[in-house]
Amino acid sequence: MKIFITGAAGYIGGMLTHVFLNDPQVERIIALDLKEKDNLLPKEIQNHPKLVWVTYNLGDDGWQDKVLKEGPIDAVIHCAYIIRQGYGKKRAWQVKSNITAAEKLFDFVFKNKILSWKNDWVLADCKIFSKFSSNQKTSFSIK
């Protein structure tokens, strides 16, 4: 299974990336964020062989080809959201990073016929925030 996670450098997206890298059913994670992965993810997963990192704003064009370079996507988990206007950034940047980004992501999902779609509200309801130790399984399943 190939999973595309947006907002992968954030709190929820980072935890999900970590959890799914340890899942034997997951072949590849394509993780997208505005920020580079260095110093954002734990060192042990920064160079994980299942992880493909894409640094992009979802509101821009170009990320779609980089994501599809890994082949068809089985599931999308959307965790990217700018909660504050960035320092020195205009309101238009926040709109692009949230509203335009969501529109582009929906277009991507529908165009590529990705059947499994989750957002961070669904994940919170699925109790993904259980303790993440190597001997404990999470209650969340993508299928």
Side-chain angles (χ1 to χ4, degrees):
M1 171 180 293
K2 291 181 190 156
I3 302 173
F4 175 37
I5 301 175
T6 68
Y11 183 71
I12 297 170
M15 284 196 298
L16 290 172
T17 298
H18 194 169
V19 168
F20 285 122
L21 284 174
N22 294 316
D23 187 330
Q25 294 179 10
V26 176
E27 169 191 342
R28 174 106 38 226
I29 293 177
I30 300 89
L32 182 141
D33 203 279
L34 285 168
K35 301 172 185 170
E36 293 288 340
K37 67 180 175 178
D38 302 337
N39 301 319
L40 294 171
L41 298 176
K43 297 284 184 208
E44 68 270 13
I45 67 170
Q46 283 186 11
N47 297 313
H48 197 288
K50 289 184 182 182
L51 181 64
V52 175
W53 193 268
V54 178
T55 305
Y56 249 94
N57 183 326
L58 279 172
D60 292 327
D61 287 317
W63 60 265
Q64 299 90 333
D65 292 334
K66 291 182 182 283
V67 170
L68 289 175
K69 188 176 176 182
E70 298 302 317
I73 303 298
D74 300 303
V76 174
I77 303 173
H78 181 44
C79 300
Y81 191 77
I82 305 293
I83 57 173
R84 289 181 209 89
Q85 189 169 323
Y87 294 108
K89 307 264 185 181
K90 302 287 184 195
R91 175 97 172 126
W93 177 81
Q94 189 177 15
V95 169
K96 178 180 105 170
S97 300
N98 291 324
I99 297 169
T100 305
E103 290 170 346
K104 288 180 184 283
L105 188 59
F106 281 123
D107 289 345
F108 176 81
V109 167
F110 294 130
K111 178 181 176 186
N112 293 286
K113 298 180 173 88
I114 300 169
L115 300 177
S116 188
W117 163 265
K118 309 288 183 199
N119 65 39
D120 59 356
W121 298 108
V122 172
L123 296 173
D125 290 342
C126 292
K127 299 179 184 171
I128 191 66
F129 300 110
S130 60
K131 293 180 184 174
F132 296 122
S133 66
S134 59
N135 63 354
Q136 189 174 13
K137 298 208 182 252
T138 178
S139 60
F140 177 74
S141 173
I142 198 80
K143 288 186 176 184

